[in-house]
Amino acid sequence: MSRFVELNLALILFLPWFAILGALFWLYPRRPRTPARQLFDAVALMVSVCAFVLAVHWAHAHAGANYGAMWPQILATSLGYGVFLAVLTLAWALRRHWLRRTYPRGD
């Protein structure tokens, strides 16, 4: 396996799942769909994927080979997925807070 594929294997394997989570993040809630909201969502998704890639590369560089040849992949995948979810969850909470303050429901 080439070094490029080895370093990015977690991203390749998680890409369909990230597409599903990203689509759900982008689509819900459906309103309000302002340009500011679209920009926030796009930036949040880009930051979460970039954070994932950085975490995976960091984990590959710092994983000890003492635990076997698969350990770098296992650590990189676990850490990267956790970082992706953490950034997306933080973005979801920030967006929710922002939308509730900007567009009160008036119940």
Side-chain angles (χ1 to χ4, degrees):
M1 174 180 333
S2 76
R3 182 73 177 147
F4 178 78
V5 171
E6 184 179 337
L7 284 175
N8 295 299
L9 184 61
L11 179 61
I12 294 166
L13 295 175
F14 272 103
L15 209 51
W17 180 236
F18 288 172
I20 293 169
L21 291 176
L24 291 173
F25 179 79
W26 183 269
L27 293 173
Y28 295 103
R30 292 198 182 271
R31 296 202 195 290
R33 179 75 60 200
T34 63
R37 155 96 188 271
Q38 291 176 346
L39 178 63
F40 178 86
D41 288 355
V43 169
L45 289 169
M46 285 188 289
V47 168
S48 62
V49 171
C50 288
F52 172 84
V53 170
L54 289 173
V56 166
H57 286 256
W58 181 88
H60 268 286
H62 291 86
N66 305 346
Y67 302 104
M70 285 300 297
W71 176 244
Q73 281 294 342
I74 294 166
L75 179 64
T77 301
S78 302
L79 183 65
Y81 185 56
V83 166
F84 177 85
L85 288 180
V87 171
L88 208 57
T89 301
L90 178 63
W92 173 81
L94 287 172
R95 183 182 69 185
R96 184 175 180 201
H97 177 71
W98 168 52
L99 290 177
R100 285 190 174 184
R101 285 188 50 169
T102 308
Y103 305 100
R105 294 176 78 180
D107 291 330

